[in-house]
Amino acid sequence: MSGVRIASLVPSATEIVAALGHAESIVARSHECDWPPGAAAAPACTRARIDASRPSGAIHEEVGKLLAAALSLYDLDTDILRAARPTHIVTQDQCDVCAVGLGEVRAAAAEFLEAPVEIVSLAPMRLDDIWEDIARVGNALAVDAAPVCDGLRARLGAISERARGLPPKRVVTVEWTDPPMSAGNWVPELVAAAGGIDALGAAGANAPVVDVAQVQAADPDAIVLMPCGYDLPRTEDDGRALLANAAWAGLRAARAGAVYATDGNAFFNRPGPRLVESAEILAEILHPAHFDFGHQGTGWARLET
């Protein structure tokens, strides 16, 4: 499809577009789009209103205030968007915290873009939704997405097949640490594929706030931290702060040294092709004698307690 010019406003969309062979068609991106290598070459047309370097509790409080006031967490630079002259905008309306709102994108396209633009908005809640989103982006770009989707399903199925028959491990996944939230959406499906049982999260549901008593009652074999937007070093820092609480440090998994930090920003919280790598990370954590994809040290690390 010649003449395609894409503005990708969410990192998962950038990764989907690249997997479909259109990385070089991206002419504008979100400030968080950093994969695949080279994605940052396009100008960023969004910026966050919240300082992500602040403590997790302070970020949570500020997000709550902005959402309560019906304010966006992000600014959209319409000058950069207009200069990019996109034919397609790929964004999302699954999470108010993750990107510029769909309504704002539509309004900006109508007001600031001279030529008509096709807006593709993604709203996945489960793995099947993600494969469907990849197919929809492919359809918009006149690309056959079936080989990409089939390949991702096959890789995930191979992990699941290898994990079948292994003793399942009970897992608590933590998508945010202050307040603690258990991961939902597609994460419980990834846990299942890796030979685990998500003890608190529910597939297709939003992340619930949990307390240490619930985690203690769930009695997980492992606790896996994957805070949204945090890389591995930042997650390790938050994990150490969490385990400074005697109640968390006293959990069976913590006493056994089975608390793990992951790069949730690069993997678990991006509903795109690298969710397969996320399942690989979980498989390495839960069944290290049977899986080694080489992610330890870059995608995940065991927390010292």
Side-chain angles (χ1 to χ4, degrees), residues 13-183:
T14 295
E15 297 186 19
I16 290 170
V17 167
L20 293 171
H22 266 285
E24 295 183 358
S25 299
I26 297 175
V27 293
R29 62 177 176 89
S30 83
H31 63 288
E32 295 178 311
C33 293
D34 56 8
W35 188 268
C45 61
T46 69
R47 55 183 171 268
R49 293 181 176 178
I50 292 176
D51 181 1
S53 67
R54 299 179 66 196
S56 297
I59 292 174
H60 179 78
E61 183 178 354
E62 189 170 357
V63 166
K65 289 178 179 178
L66 287 172
L67 294 179
L71 297 175
S72 175
L73 276 62
Y74 303 92
D75 291 318
L76 179 62
D77 191 322
T78 53
D79 289 337
I80 291 177
L81 186 65
R82 178 168 48 198
R85 298 180 291 108
T87 58
H88 297 74
I89 297 175
V90 189
T91 185
Q92 66 89 47
D93 59 324
Q94 188 263 348
C95 173
D96 291 335
V97 179
C98 293
V100 177
L102 178 58
E104 186 177 353
V105 173
R106 286 173 171 163
E111 182 175 357
F112 297 103
L113 299 183
E114 297 178 2
V117 60
E118 182 173 355
I119 298 176
V120 182
S121 188
L122 315 178
M125 294 295 287
R126 301 188 62 150
L127 287 178
D128 281 346
D129 300 330
I130 295 166
W131 316 141
E132 291 173 8
D133 278 346
I134 294 173
R136 289 198 302 113
V137 174
N139 184 61
L141 301 178
V143 174
D144 181 10
V148 172
C149 293
D150 291 346
L152 293 171
R153 288 194 191 98
R155 290 173 57 200
L156 195 61
I159 296 169
S160 183
E161 182 63 29
R162 286 176 60 187
R164 187 172 292 122
L166 298 176
K169 300 291 184 67
R170 290 179 59 79
V171 185
V172 165
T173 56
V174 180
E175 188 175 286
W176 196 251
T177 59
D178 189 9
M181 297 180 182
S182 177

